[in-house]
Amino acid sequence: MSHAATPTLSQDQLRLPRSAVWRSLPWAAAAVGLLALVVHWLLGRGAGAARQAHFSYLVAMLYWLSIALGALFFVIVQFATKAGWSVVVRRLAEHAMITLPLLGLLFVPIVGGMHELFHWSHPEAMQHDALLASKAPYLNVPFFSARALLYFVTWTALAWLFYRRSVRQDLDGAPQATERLQRLSGPAIILFALTVTFAAFDWLMSLDPHWYSTMFGVYYFAGCVVAIFAFLALVGLLLRRARVLADVITVEHYHDLGKLLFGFTVFWTYIAFSQFMLIWYGNLPEETIWYARRLIGSWGQVTLVLALGHFVVPFFYLMTRATKRRGATLLPAALWLLTVHYLDLYWLVMPILHPEGARPCLLDLTAFLGVGGCFVALFGRQLRRHALVPMRDPRLAESLAFENY
Amino acid sequence: MSQQPTTTELSLNLDEPVDQRPPLLLGDNSFRGITEAVCRPVEWVPPRGWYIFFGVSLALLGVLVLSTAYLFYMGTGIWGLNNPVGWGWAIVNFVFWVGIGHAGTLISAILFLFRQRWRTSINRFAEAMTIFAVMCALLFPTIHVGRVWVIYWALPYPNQMGIWPNFRSPLLWDVFAVSIYGSVSLLFWYMGLLPDLATLRDRAKSQLRRVIYGIFALGWRGSHRHWQHYERAYLILAAISTPLVLSVHSIVSFDFAVSQLPGWHTTIFPPYFVAGAIFSGFAMVVTLMTIARTVFGLEHIVTRRHFENMAKVMLLTGSIVGYAYAMEFFIAWYSGNPFERFVFLNRAFGPYAWAYWIMVTCNVIVPQTFWFKRLRRSLLWLFIASILVNIGMWFERFVITVTSLHRDFLPSSWDYYSPTFWDICALVGSFGLFFTMFSLFVRFLPQVAMAEVKAIVPAAHVHHATLHPAAPHAGPGAPAAPGAAPAGSLATPASLPQEA
Amino acid sequence: MAEHAADPTWGVLAEFASPTALYRACEQLRDAGFTRWDAHSPFPVHGLDRAMGLRPSRLPWVVFGGGMLGAAGGLGLQWWTSTIAYPQVIAGKPHFSWPAFVPVTFELGVLAAALACVLGMLHFNRLPRLHHPIFRSTRFEGVSDDRFFISIEAADPRFDPSATPGWLTQLGATQVELLAE
């Protein structure tokens, strides 16, 4: 409810300063990423390592994808709700979501390596298993591949539409861009919800093809939203250390990011617990097997760590107002949640490959750095190319002057 | 006699310039104007329409009382329950009413946390609706037990039988969840009423009114030291109520989802039920508000913009409900489980297909009309659509409950369920309870949260640009330290705390 | 207004025309070192906490404590009844079937927190208090309508019955009256 005048942001508030270490980020990240991918590929050619390489790669892909998808969701929702507070952080999310086409390219090895990952993709499996055979109209290689293409085409189209209009508005300041994106945001949410749901079914749920859960799409989505708020808080605070956007993204915005991070951590917990409790209570073997796999051997400990780390610790830590309003306390929380989000995805995927217990290995690291390096490289490149905030967004003034409760 | 907003004001309110926020109130938005507009329905002699409405509600309440008395006398056999459909209208009505209650908490709590200032025109009304809806909801578990005179056995207390309730049962979770939901909503509603009760106390012409409102206002005197704790309490209650409202309808959904019955046992039920509850709750707010704002002259406070926003919420939650239908359908097929697949085919094409298609039309198709701006802004369509939505949501609970039960695993047990006259009396009568409470509410309490509305009008803002003129610093007998920074001041955007 | 020479003075009440005027005056009072005073408004004026120099409310801690007690109590009740007092094997689940205990634990935690919140707020505000010298002022009835006030108690060390009312007028008060106890 501010009555701020036209914002006066100086040039060095709008662009990365020359001396900033962030300027060299794209090159460094690209180098790390490509090197890691090469090492990953080489190690994966080793004896018996192919399956591990593919599984590690799947986890890494889904991790970085969750940040990009979370960013897409965030941007769409800000337009749908005509939000004012978030304008100063929106550009960071926009850079994260525009990595979706690149991630689509990086996804090709998954589709190509389907036979290493998905039990149902083996024709012999289909022949001997009546239950799997009944799913054949959906779980077959051509349809699966076509769907993957469809998801990435949709996400790219949405990300591109929102991105292009936003950066063009920097130049022409046309309010019509905001109006158009507001109108687009409704249908965009519907497309987002459906594609993300079925992507989660395809790439995560079908790893265990006998198992099913109507909640599963929502579960992956919840993880995406936690990831993006943690990412935005982390990136914003790291930029601030380099004196970038220091007076633009204020303590009020971090408070909001912290609140949303807290809220969606609780939401993730609610979804995760509901799914678990209902399956536990019904006690049907065809459903409980999925959780049983995650309680055998060291997986039981991983499950406990996940529950404590993804819920209990962040819940009590992020509860107080003061914690969310100080960078020194919010940054560790963001980093923590990004870490435990990786653990969540690892826990979703790996029990299929390693039923006896968690077996972290080098390939996990190379995959993570490989995909992540490419993600960060593109993010960093876009950060350099465009203004750091949507400098002529009609609601920028409101966002700069925003004060929290 | 309400102050009719002019055409310009109406269009100002609905205009969407992207660099401005449109005014939330039209007409006379001075503090005095708001007080007068909201207090008038409490202080006047009500129009004849109110008496008619109250009379009809009382008659329906009478239907409830009589049919419940007969139920206690004869037992639950007078209802249409059979084998295998052991759960019928009673639980459908229970879930229906609990769902309606959710809009109030969403508007009060969740929209508050999201800083949606437009909520202040409707939150008091919606919260009252929540409390009355929860009353109607709790009615059904209470009367359906058969031996209602020993219903206290459901509560955990030491007893001579040495037994304790079964905490693993979702039905007991319901007892806790719904009654706690009612209590917390009541607390939140009452706390919100305190400043407005003070207004009514201060304006009271008769001694009786002054005393009664005065007692309930607890001596509120607008002190800012009080407002500080009050605002904190409001924020905390909003933050607590948000997970509460999510949990309540999730726990209600657990009644079904913890079972092993196809069509009931599915993991998406909790958020699906919550979305459906918000959906039906908003529909009920729209239904009631379209009438109340005209009868009570509040059109300039509850404007078309408020209705448009409510329509958008209905579009969102209706779409979530549609998404859940699609997920259930897809996963039922994907599971390969023949019983799961059958349940969904039976719903669409079996003996209850008529109920299923009413549900789909009202819940999936009707809210999609809100994509169109003209329909979002048409009060007539909003009124009709909101009623259709509530019909659809009742049918959704009916379809879920009855279709899964009436044809489960063993075909020899299949049967058809029909309600009896007494089932219908209970449902109709519950509306009587709801509308009776509602009539009393609009008669004796302010329908709009005056203090909250006043806080969002332009006149309420402190204009910092005009502060600090040349004024004498030192108070008499006090060597002052001018401009000293007070302890515990909040950081303003201009002065950030130093970051490590 | 009327000042009964026989009654001891409780304090002074000053009326202001707008939230901005009130805010400005509050800053002055805060800076002048007054301690026993208050501002009154029909709705909470944004930022007045700062202008008055108020410390943040301790209510959140009360609520947290209440909530934790409620949740612990709920879990404890279920644990004791299900494992010690009346253990039954139901649906093949263990005695301490903790996933099933979560809903009631959560709900009781929420209830306790909400009660702590409202009762705590009333306690910090020392309400209900139906009688207060400030209600003697007839103009004060407008505090729940559209008027803004500042009240300073006579017990405040900086209060001077001869000078303070005049000073308040200089700060922008439209009406000033002394109130009896």
Side-chain angles (χ1 to χ4, degrees):
Chain A
M1 319 154 296
S2 53
H3 310 276
T6 341
T8 48
L9 288 178
S10 63
Q11 261 308 104
D12 34 278
Q13 281 180 310
L14 286 174
R15 295 272 157 164
L16 277 181
R18 297 228 159 268
S19 57
V21 68
W22 286 79
R23 285 225 151 228
S24 43
L25 181 67
W27 299 115
V32 168
L34 289 170
L35 181 65
L37 281 176
V38 168
V39 172
H40 185 84
W41 180 71
L42 286 171
L43 288 176
R45 286 163 63 84
R51 276 198 92 204
Q52 175 71 63
H54 280 86
F55 271 81
S56 302
Y57 193 73
L58 181 66
V59 176
M61 273 301 326
L62 288 169
Y63 180 81
W64 292 102
L65 195 58
S66 69
I67 298 179
L69 288 172
L72 179 62
F73 175 73
F74 177 78
V75 172
I76 296 176
V77 166
Q78 300 317 301
F79 281 104
T81 56
K82 305 194 182 98
W85 72 273
S86 57
V87 176
V88 292
V89 296
R90 201 185 75 224
R91 183 54 57 80
L92 296 175
E94 287 170 357
H95 293 322
M97 80 184 181
I98 205 59
T99 59
L100 280 165
L102 174 64
L103 290 171
L105 213 58
L106 289 170
F107 200 77
V108 170
I110 304 267
V111 177
M114 232 189 287
H115 293 292
E116 306 283 0
L117 289 166
F118 298 105
H119 178 62
W120 53 261
S121 64
H122 303 137
E124 327 81 62
M126 280 288 182
Q127 273 168 11
H128 296 304
D129 189 333
L131 190 58
L132 268 188
S134 73
K135 305 185 198 216
Y138 186 77
L139 291 180
N140 58 72
V141 174
F143 195 15
F144 181 92
S145 314
R147 285 197 304 272
L149 182 65
L150 176 68
Y151 304 146
F152 275 104
V153 164
T154 309
W155 295 335
T156 303
L158 288 175
W160 186 234
L161 272 168
F162 278 85
Y163 193 85
R164 194 177 52 128
R165 284 198 188 277
S166 176
V167 300
R168 205 190 300 154
Q169 198 183 49
D170 284 357
L171 301 170
D172 60 27
Q176 293 85 348
T178 307
E179 282 167 19
R180 289 210 61 164
L181 290 177
Q182 277 169 190
R183 267 203 296 276
L184 187 58
S185 58
I189 291 185
I190 308 247
L191 284 173
F192 177 87
L194 290 170
T195 48
V196 171
T197 299
F198 282 97
F201 287 166
D202 285 358
W203 304 336
L204 283 166
M205 200 169 82
S206 77
L207 285 169
D208 205 338
H210 284 183
W211 189 73
Y212 55 91
S213 164
T214 39
M215 181 77 105
F216 202 79
V218 185
Y219 182 82
Y220 182 67
F221 163 72
C224 293
V225 186
V226 172
I228 188 56
F229 287 123
F231 181 79
L232 286 174
L234 181 69
V235 172
L237 288 169
L238 288 175
L239 281 169
R240 168 181 271 212
R241 286 188 178 201
R243 302 256 161 269
V244 178
L245 287 178
D247 290 324
V248 178
I249 307 182
T250 67
V251 64
E252 312 291 340
H253 300 105
Y254 288 114
H255 188 185
D256 257 9
L257 287 173
K259 277 194 261 180
L260 287 162
L261 188 57
F262 176 77
F264 278 97
T265 302
V266 175
F267 178 71
W268 177 91
T269 309
Y270 159 69
I271 299 295
F273 176 75
S274 299
Q275 185 175 256
F276 166 70
M277 196 273 284
L278 290 175
I279 288 179
W280 170 87
Y281 206 110
N283 215 9
L284 296 170
E286 62 189 0
E287 294 180 341
T288 55
I289 183 71
W290 193 88
Y291 282 102
R293 288 197 220 287
R294 287 155 180 81
L295 294 170
I296 292 172
S298 62
W299 285 118
Q301 286 140 10
V302 177
T303 306
L304 188 61
V305 169
L306 185 63
L308 288 175
H310 209 306
F311 169 56
V312 181
V313 169
F315 179 76
F316 287 102
Y317 185 78
L318 280 173
M319 210 190 275
T320 59
R321 195 166 185 272
T323 314
K324 299 188 276 268
R325 287 177 76 90
R326 288 176 57 222
T329 45
L330 186 61
L331 195 148
L335 204 52
W336 174 280
L337 277 162
L338 282 169
T339 310
V340 90
H341 176 57
Y342 180 85
L343 185 67
D344 184 18
L345 288 165
Y346 188 87
W347 177 84
L348 283 174
V349 172
M350 284 304 181
I352 301 299
L353 180 63
H354 296 299
E356 348 65 64
R359 300 272 180 274
C361 68
L362 187 60
L363 282 166
D364 296 323
L365 182 64
T366 51
F368 181 83
L369 290 176
V371 180
C374 298
F375 178 97
V376 173
L378 184 55
F379 180 84
R381 173 180 178 263
Q382 298 306 106
L383 205 60
R384 281 176 54 165
R385 288 186 81 202
H386 296 288
L388 293 168
V389 294
M391 52 197 252
R392 294 177 71 177
D393 186 292
R395 299 196 181 110
L396 181 62
E398 190 184 322
S399 183
L400 287 168
F402 157 67
E403 256 186 66
N404 226 314
Y405 279 144
Chain B
M1 318 158 294
S2 61
Q3 196 161 5
Q4 296 298 333
T6 65
T7 321
T8 338
E9 285 175 323
L10 262 180
S11 61
L12 268 179
N13 177 256
L14 289 173
D15 265 350
E16 304 278 1
V18 288
D19 55 346
Q20 284 169 31
R21 300 288 178 188
L24 289 164
L25 262 63
L26 303 171
D28 181 2
N29 63 356
S30 67
F31 305 132
R32 170 65 59 86
I34 293 167
T35 310
E36 292 291 334
V38 177
C39 288
R40 195 184 326 116
V42 181
E43 294 166 348
W44 68 6
V45 174
R48 194 150 45 116
W50 182 85
Y51 287 100
I52 298 176
F53 186 79
F54 186 58
V56 171
S57 308
L58 275 181
L60 292 177
L61 179 60
V63 166
L64 177 69
V65 170
L66 291 173
S67 63
T68 306
Y70 187 62
L71 173 72
F72 290 160
Y73 180 68
M74 291 294 286
T76 52
I78 62 172
W79 284 345
L81 305 171
N82 59 28
N83 260 320
V85 185
W87 277 4
W89 276 38
I91 200 164
V92 171
N93 297 338
F94 165 66
V95 181
F96 174 73
W97 281 113
V98 176
I100 285 180
H102 276 53
T105 321
L106 183 108
I107 294 172
S108 295
I110 299 178
L111 290 182
F112 177 79
L113 293 178
F114 284 132
R115 293 188 297 263
Q116 299 296 301
R117 293 175 305 139
W118 57 275
R119 64 179 268 288
T120 53
S121 298
I122 55 174
N123 68 327
R124 171 71 49 71
F125 193 87
E127 284 167 46
M129 195 192 72
T130 292
I131 292 166
F132 307 144
V134 170
M135 282 184 196
C136 293
L138 280 170
L139 176 71
F140 288 97
T142 310
I143 66 176
H144 93 313
V145 292
R147 286 185 297 170
V148 83
W149 45 93
V150 287
I151 195 169
Y152 58 90
W153 286 353
L155 299 171
Y157 70 98
N159 55 68
Q160 86 282 12
M161 297 175 276
I163 65 173
W164 292 88
N166 174 17
F167 282 105
R168 291 172 209 79
S169 166
L171 301 179
L172 188 65
W173 303 345
D174 272 348
V175 170
F176 280 83
V178 181
S179 50
I180 290 175
Y181 180 53
S183 313
V184 174
S185 298
L186 192 61
L187 278 172
F188 201 2
W189 182 72
Y190 179 59
M191 200 179 81
L193 268 170
L194 284 175
D196 288 358
L197 289 171
T199 307
L200 288 168
R201 168 199 69 199
D202 293 338
R203 286 170 60 99
K205 299 278 187 299
S206 76
Q207 183 65 0
L208 179 67
R209 282 197 167 220
R210 187 173 277 260
V211 166
I212 294 181
Y213 285 125
I215 290 175
F216 284 106
L218 305 183
W220 184 262
R221 50 187 198 269
S223 142
H224 192 77
R225 288 175 197 269
H226 293 183
W227 277 122
Q228 188 205 21
H229 293 295
Y230 178 94
E231 281 199 288
R232 211 92 196 100
Y234 198 101
L235 178 63
I236 292 173
L237 270 183
I240 294 175
S241 299
T242 302
L244 177 64
V245 76
L246 290 178
S247 71
V248 169
H249 224 63
S250 300
I251 290 174
V252 169
S253 82
F254 289 159
D255 286 348
F256 303 97
V258 299
S259 72
Q260 298 168 332
L261 208 54
W264 280 17
H265 183 61
T266 179
T267 49
I268 204 171
F269 258 31
Y272 156 46
F273 265 53
V274 173
I278 296 167
F279 185 42
S280 64
F282 266 79
M284 186 61 95
V285 172
V286 167
T287 307
L288 295 173
M289 203 87 211
T290 37
I291 304 173
R293 71 192 274 274
T294 313
V295 170
F296 297 106
L298 298 168
E299 287 109 323
H300 62 297
I301 296 181
V302 185
T303 67
R304 271 179 208 253
R305 167 170 223 80
H306 293 88
F307 282 100
E308 188 174 3
N309 288 342
M310 288 196 270
K312 288 183 188 174
V313 174
M314 291 202 324
L315 175 58
L316 172 69
T317 48
S319 302
I320 296 177
V321 168
Y323 167 90
Y325 291 168
M327 286 309 115
E328 284 190 294
F329 206 82
F330 173 74
I331 294 286
W333 173 83
Y334 178 88
S335 70
N337 182 324
F339 303 104
E340 290 275 346
R341 290 179 173 183
F342 174 75
V343 155
F344 286 91
L345 288 173
N346 183 51
R347 278 188 189 178
F349 304 114
Y352 284 106
W354 58 274
Y356 180 82
W357 291 107
I358 291 178
M359 170 185 104
V360 170
T361 309
C362 293
N363 290 347
V364 181
I365 299 180
V366 166
Q368 298 300 315
T369 60
F370 291 137
W371 286 108
F372 301 103
K373 195 177 279 202
R374 183 167 299 171
L375 290 175
R376 285 201 296 271
R377 295 175 176 183
S378 154
L379 288 179
L380 178 62
W381 175 244
L382 280 163
F383 182 73
I384 296 172
S386 61
I387 293 180
L388 288 175
V389 164
N390 265 323
I391 292 174
M393 285 308 294
W394 189 91
F395 271 100
E396 179 190 285
R397 278 59 169 259
F398 177 80
V399 164
I400 289 175
T401 307
V402 175
T403 61
S404 290
L405 283 172
H406 94 114
R407 282 187 175 182
D408 67 4
F409 303 99
L410 204 56
S412 58
S413 301
W414 291 2
D415 203 347
Y416 193 81
Y417 163 85
S418 294
T420 60
F421 171 73
W422 301 104
D423 280 308
I424 300 171
C425 281
L427 176 62
V428 167
S430 68
F431 277 95
L433 174 63
F434 184 74
F435 288 127
T436 302
M437 302 297 308
F438 212 80
S439 317
L440 293 172
F441 163 68
V442 297
R443 176 85 183 85
F444 293 111
L445 288 172
Q447 293 172 45
V448 174
M450 285 183 279
E452 296 187 48
V453 170
K454 287 175 191 170
I456 60 157
V457 293
H461 301 142
V462 175
H463 296 129
H464 289 270
T466 66
L467 288 174
H468 308 300
H473 292 294
S489 60
L490 299 170
T492 65
S495 59
L496 289 166
Q498 293 308 305
E499 292 301 324
Chain C
M1 294 289 295
E3 188 185 326
H4 302 271
D7 299 334
T9 312
W10 173 82
V12 64
L13 184 69
E15 187 178 328
F16 291 82
S18 72
T20 310
L22 183 71
Y23 187 99
R24 206 186 307 154
C26 285
E27 286 185 312
Q28 300 296 323
L29 260 96
R30 172 198 71 198
D31 295 345
F34 281 85
T35 48
R36 298 191 59 161
W37 65 287
D38 208 346
H40 306 262
S41 51
F43 55 86
V45 174
H46 184 67
L48 213 58
D49 291 358
R50 204 164 45 221
M52 288 176 71
L54 295 177
R55 267 200 214 89
S57 169
R58 277 172 311 158
L59 193 59
W61 296 105
V62 172
V63 174
F64 179 74
M68 288 296 113
L69 275 176
L75 190 59
L77 171 69
Q78 292 176 97
W79 165 78
W80 183 73
T81 56
S82 306
T83 59
I84 296 179
Y86 192 55
Q88 299 277 302
V89 174
I90 296 176
K93 304 294 191 294
H95 287 146
F96 185 63
S97 42
W98 69 266
F101 294 161
V102 167
V104 173
T105 306
F106 174 78
E107 296 294 336
L108 285 174
V110 167
L111 177 67
L115 281 171
C117 185
V118 178
L119 296 177
M121 185 269 294
L122 291 176
H123 169 77
F124 285 132
N125 288 345
R126 299 198 230 295
L127 291 175
R129 181 179 170 173
L130 298 182
H131 297 289
H132 193 280
I134 211 169
F135 287 125
R136 286 170 182 263
S137 160
T138 44
R139 282 204 70 84
F140 193 68
E141 283 175 4
V143 79
S144 56
D145 185 3
D146 61 352
R147 298 200 193 121
F148 304 86
F149 296 86
I150 285 183
S151 64
I152 307 180
E153 289 181 51
D156 188 305
R158 299 205 194 282
F159 178 79
D160 178 355
S162 53
T164 308
W167 180 61
L168 283 168
T169 314
Q170 281 187 303
L171 288 184
T174 54
Q175 292 239 23
V176 180
E177 62 180 292
L178 287 170
L179 292 174
E181 192 67 43

